[in-house]
Structure formats: C-alpha cells, structure tokens
Amino acid sequence: MKNQGPTIYQRRIVIGAALCVAAFVLVGVRLVDVTLFRHGQAATAAGDGLFARADIVDRNGELLARDLPVMDLYVRPHALYDKDQAARDLAAIAGTDARRLRLAFDKTRSPYVLVARQLTPDLQDKAMRLGLPGLEFEPNTKRYYPDGRATAQLLGVTDPDGNGQSGLEGGLDVQLRTAPTIPVQLSVDMRVQYILANEVEAARKTFRALAAGGVVMDVNTGEVLAMVSMPDFDPNWRHLAGGDSDHNIMAADRYELGSVFKVLSFALAMEDHTTTPDEVFPIGNGLKIGKYTIHEAEHMPATYAARDILAHSSNIGTAQIALRSGGVRQRQFLDSMGMLHILHTELSEFARPLYPAANNWGTIETATIGFGHGISVAPLSYVAAAAIVVNGGRKVTPTFLKHAADGRGEQVLKPETSLKMRELLRYVVTSGTGRKADIPGYDVGGKTGSAEKPIPNGHGYQSHVLVTSFLAVFPVDNPRYIVFVLLDTPHGTKETGGIALAGATAAPLAGRVISRIAPILGVPQRPAPRGNT
C-alpha cells in the first residue's frame, strides 16, 4: 500500500502549534527581560537619581547632612480652568511670584511650567488639596542639615540640582557623589562645635563685633574639631535672613592679625638663637626706623626682658628682635611655616595671603611684620603655623576628615625650640596679657593679638578699630589642642572699662571655650594646689 504524506489539514495544525510555541517563548523571554533586568536597571537609575550624595557624619557618627526625598511641582497650563486663581494659589504654597507664574502660563512653549522645586511633603499635600487639574509631581531630593546654623559655613550648601556649592559640600563634592552609599566621616566633633558656636556668638553680641569666628584643632593629627563663623545662616533655607552671612571668615578672609604673629617672630629668634628669654631690650617711647616711628598700644616700662616683651606684647621690643633675623631670613622662615602660601584643605574656600614682594621686604617691613602688621593671612593658615610651633616643630596640615594617625610631617623647627616656645606661651597666660585665659585645672599657653584694621583704600590704619584674637594651646606641657578665636571690630563694655583689646575680649572667650571642651575631650585636670579644697 502506497504510504501517503500528511494531509493539508495536518500540516496546518503542526504549523499553528509551532507558531503558538514560538509566541509563548517570545512572551516568556519578554517577561523575564522586563521583570528581572529592566526592573533592576530602572530601580538603579531611580536610586542614582534620587540619592546622589552621601551622608555626612561627625567623628562620633552624628548625622550632619542627608538627601531627603521631595517633589518638583509642574503644571500643564492648558488644563487649568482659571489661570489667574491657579497662579495665586500655587504661588502662595510655593512661596513664589504669582505674576511670574501667570505670565509663564501664557508664554511657555513647553506643555509644562515649573512651579517650584523641592517641595516638602506638607507643601505637596497642600498643592494636591487645591484640586487643580494639570498638576504633576516629579521625584527629587533636598539636602537636609539636622544641626542647621551650627554647621552653616562649615558644611556649606548644595544647589537645587545637588551640586556642592560651598564649604565641605563644595570641597568634597566628588567624594560625596562617587560613593553615595558610603557616609563621609568628618573630624568635627559636634559637642565641641556647639560649644564653640555658642561662646563665639555670645562674645560677638557682648562686644558688638561685626563678625567673629573660632577654630579648634588637634595639633598632632591636624584634625579640625570645630570651626565657626558668625554671623551664620540656616543652610536648610536657600535665602539669607536679615543679618545672616554665608561667608566663612576663618578660611575665606585674610587679616593682619597683629600681636599673635609675635609667636612666629619669637619662634624664629629661639630657633636661630638671636636672643634668649632673659636678654633685656630697651623699650622707651618709640623706635625710629627711617621716617617711621613704631609705638606701643599701651604704656610700657623703659626696658623689658625678651620673655616680658612677648608676655606684655611690646611692639618695640619685638621689632628689635625681628630685625636681628633680617628680612631675608624672616621671609624664608615664614615661607617654611606656610604663611606665604594658600592653604588648601577639604573646604572649597581659601584666601591668598598678602605680603610685600621680595624686593620690597625692607627694614620697616621686617619690623612691622614681626608684630603682625603688613602681612595678611587666613586665620586657619595661622592656626596651622602655630601648631608647628607647639607640636614639636613638625608641619601639619589642617584636615576636616577623621583619621587617627599622627598627621605631622616635615620637621620645621627643632624640638627644643618648640619646648621653649611652650614655656614662653605659658608665661604669657600666667604673667602677661593672656591672664583671662588662665583656666583653673588646665595649663593653658597663649598669646593675645590686637591689630588696627587697615583703611579700605590700603593707606594707613583705622585708629581704635581693631581685630582682636587669641591663640590658646592646651595642655601646654604636652600640647594636644589649639583654640583660636577672633573678633572683628569689637567694642569695649562697662565690664572691660571700655577696653576692646584682646586681653579683655578674645582671651576670656578662649578661656571659656577651653573650660567647657577640655572635660569632653578627656584632657585631665591638673591637681589643685595643696591647701585648696
């Protein structure tokens, strides 16, 4: 019997079954693609887009900055029934200009008009309750700073697109974006930061200063435990209220710091053995150099030993000591201490120092720079140089990132010079202008600085308009921390007898800060003298 092939109906059934199998396979592949691979990509993209910056925490893990989910609000104008009323209602919620919105509704070439960015959940809820057609919300994030003003200039801010604009947000922008899931841990201790901010602001108000600031730094690791600049601002709001400032005077400004610079002049003299603490110098009523005469801020005796020149802050005595080093050596020394360079840290702000050119660094410049006039530096740069003086003589760069290791590097001064300077700085606090920084239980060393402010046109100085500061180091026999505070244009009070010099304004401020932070930082108290209870 002849073998017959499949009929046409059987072939159609086979072809149909094959097509069904192929269709099911195609659908299955598509489902796997959508549910497993595409979903994962979408989630990753959403995560990357929403939380683009890492958290910032202090050295103890306290949260300082975090991205929070918010919404951007758009509207489709053609869907609105009453554009005038919609503009007024939306503007009231978003805090924007109703006329601008109304104009945008008519003139936009896009189907959408942006009403506001980064609406918080409560404002988003208010917008939804309007019941307007055409409202659309797009996910976004807003940088939130739980400590508000306490970390204002230090952390800085981001723009609405999440780009770092100032402070550590600006300086650490790449790190914060590169690994958004890994918190960035700062060297800052918020317990110290709060105390410094509280005391600096109180002093600014007491002495009606234009501005004030402070720094607390570990002289061995270079870690900055606190930095404040007043007036400050609330970084959670994108505008400055009356009297606010987003300027960081400790890093972005430069000052002629006056007599705290004598610390560097004495360090040079001790390093080069151009004098000894016991050598006696004539003081008198003025030191004439060419057509200039150097005077004292206060009445001084006819002679002073070198240690008393520093303790009582004699300009005439310090000028004589600086002139023994000479301009060439003084310039080379200040260069080695970092005073002639921009200090770069993790902050986005810095200040370029101002000083005479080498061919204009003559006798009078050497004398005045010796006591802190004729050279302008950022306060943070000065703190870095002062750390070298007291930490055994080794260079250290301030850092805002936590690290436990010793940060000291190049040996700039001999260890014995550093030891001698610590003894002199202690003498300033026990017997000189820094007495009001002498805190019971803690051996503090320090130096006052009172400098008349230059006239804005650069010709001369404003009489009795001061910048006062105090450099404090503790415990002075084995230094661990520097506290540096500054008051810009303080005024004397009834309690200070109208005196605005650093001994009456900045020194007690530094003392109060140390008395509050030393127990927190674990600095042991010196036993009370026998007989005291």
Side-chain angles (χ1 to χ4, degrees):
M1 185 175 178
K2 186 178 179 180
N3 186 24
Q4 294 182 338
T7 66
I8 187 171
Y9 298 107
Q10 289 173 324
R11 286 198 293 271
R12 286 177 178 175
I13 291 172
V14 171
I15 292 172
L19 289 174
C20 287
V21 170
F24 278 114
V25 170
L26 184 61
V27 170
V29 170
R30 179 61 177 164
L31 284 173
V32 170
D33 177 55
V34 170
T35 56
L36 295 183
F37 301 108
R38 301 297 177 89
H39 175 73
Q41 293 172 5
T44 301
D48 288 347
L50 282 180
F51 303 104
R53 300 179 71 80
D55 288 350
I56 300 176
V57 299
D58 85 339
R59 66 184 302 111
N60 301 311
E62 180 178 329
L63 181 66
L64 303 181
R66 170 171 287 178
D67 281 356
L68 291 183
V70 290
M71 290 287 180
D72 292 343
L73 173 58
Y74 293 84
V75 65
R76 287 183 285 120
H78 70 274
L80 298 172
Y81 300 121
D82 185 342
K83 294 181 180 178
D84 292 330
Q85 187 61 46
R88 287 192 293 271
D89 290 344
L90 291 172
I93 292 173
T96 188
D97 184 8
R99 289 175 299 178
R100 180 191 67 80
L101 270 184
R102 181 65 184 85
L103 194 62
F105 290 166
D106 287 338
K107 291 194 172 183
T108 182
R109 295 181 179 178
S110 167
Y112 299 93
V113 168
L114 174 64
V115 176
R117 304 192 69 177
Q118 300 181 330
L119 283 184
T120 54
D122 59 325
L123 294 180
Q124 180 188 355
D125 183 59
K126 288 182 179 179
M128 294 178 68
R129 288 177 182 274
L130 292 175
L132 293 173
L135 296 188
E136 297 200 8
F137 297 91
E138 289 292 328
N140 198 348
T141 61
K142 181 177 182 179
R143 201 68 165 162
Y144 176 61
Y145 304 94
D147 292 308
R149 291 176 178 269
T151 56
Q153 288 96 334
L154 176 64
L155 295 183
V157 295
T158 61
D159 67 14
D161 293 318
N163 301 304
Q165 296 295 293
S166 59
L168 294 172
E169 290 279 23
L172 295 172
D173 193 49
V174 173
Q175 182 175 347
L176 290 164
R177 286 177 169 278
T178 302
T181 60
I182 302 175
V184 173
Q185 188 161 34
L186 304 184
S187 58
V188 172
D189 186 326
M190 280 308 299
R191 301 170 302 172
V192 179
Q193 179 80 6
Y194 274 124
I195 291 170
L196 183 63
N198 175 261
E199 292 293 349
V200 166
E201 179 61 357
R204 186 177 77 92
K205 291 179 177 177
T206 298
F207 299 112
R208 293 174 290 130
L210 293 179
V215 175
V216 178
M217 191 181 94
D218 187 316
V219 300
N220 297 323
T221 67
E223 293 176 293
V224 176
L225 274 66
M227 170 184 277
V228 300
S229 180
M230 301 291 178
D232 56 15
F233 68 103
D234 189 339
N236 291 307
W237 298 94
R238 302 294 174 190
H239 61 272
L240 301 179
D244 284 354
S245 172
D246 58 1
H247 194 71
N248 186 345
I249 67 169
M250 304 306 285
D253 277 354
R254 56 196 173 205
Y255 291 92
E256 292 191 22
L257 290 173
S259 295
V260 290
F261 237 71
K262 290 170 182 168
V263 173
L264 304 183
S265 297
F266 270 74
L268 172 57
M270 296 300 118
E271 178 76 1
D272 291 354
H273 305 289
T274 57
T275 188
T276 66
D278 297 322
E279 182 180 356
V280 176
F281 289 80
I283 303 300
N285 295 319
L287 176 64
K288 194 167 180 58
I289 299 176
K291 62 180 180 181
Y292 303 98
T293 302
I294 293 173
H295 297 283
E296 304 286 8
E298 297 179 288
H299 177 73
M300 298 275 175
T303 62
Y304 257 149
R307 70 173 72 250
D308 288 306
I309 287 173
L310 184 66
H312 298 282
S313 207
S314 165
N315 292 339
I316 293 172
T318 305
Q320 295 175 73
I321 291 171
L323 289 173
R324 288 189 178 180
S325 298
V328 172
R329 172 60 178 143
Q330 183 188 52
R331 183 185 173 93
Q332 182 274 329
F333 177 75
L334 293 178
D335 186 46
S336 70
M337 300 292 283
M339 291 289 84
L340 308 187
H341 303 279
I342 296 173
L343 175 65
H344 291 287
T345 67
E346 294 87 6
L347 290 172
S348 56
E349 295 84 5
F350 56 83
R352 185 182 301 278
L354 282 180
Y355 52 87
N359 59 3
N360 197 33
W361 197 304
T363 301
I364 187 62
E365 287 78 17
T366 302
T368 60
I369 287 173
F371 54 84
H373 276 288
I375 183 169
S376 301
V377 300
L380 185 59
S381 295
Y382 173 77
V383 169
I388 299 173
V389 173
V390 300
N391 75 0
R394 294 169 61 186
K395 182 165 285 188
V396 64
T397 301
T399 179
F400 293 85
L401 296 177
K402 182 180 180 181
H403 71 93
D406 191 331
R408 292 177 295 175
E410 175 191 358
Q411 192 81 43
V412 181
L413 298 174
K414 294 189 284 289
E416 51 267 35
T417 299
S418 180
L419 175 61
K420 192 168 294 182
M421 286 304 302
R422 297 200 295 268
E423 294 170 353
L424 288 171
L425 293 175
R426 178 61 181 157
Y427 185 67
V428 172
V429 172
T430 57
S431 307
T433 57
R435 289 188 185 93
K436 291 192 175 180
D438 197 15
I439 304 303
Y442 297 99
D443 288 338
V444 177
K447 181 69 189 82
T448 51
S450 303
E452 289 187 333
K453 293 179 70 174
I455 296 172
N457 64 14
H459 299 289
Y461 292 87
Q462 304 175 64
S463 181
H464 304 300
V465 180
L466 302 175
V467 172
T468 64
S469 58
F470 192 80
L471 166 73
V473 54
F474 72 101
V476 72
D477 58 337
N478 185 22
R480 183 71 189 278
Y481 302 105
I482 275 180
V483 174
F484 183 78
V485 294
L486 180 146
L487 295 164
D488 186 341
T489 320
H491 297 80
T493 64
K494 182 179 179 181
E495 288 71 22
T496 66
I499 296 174
L501 294 172
T505 56
L509 166 58
R512 286 193 297 274
V513 172
I514 293 172
S515 68
R516 293 180 64 184
I517 68 173
I520 292 174
L521 296 174
V523 178
Q525 278 194 303
R526 171 171 38 83
R530 288 184 178 181
N532 290 357
T533 58

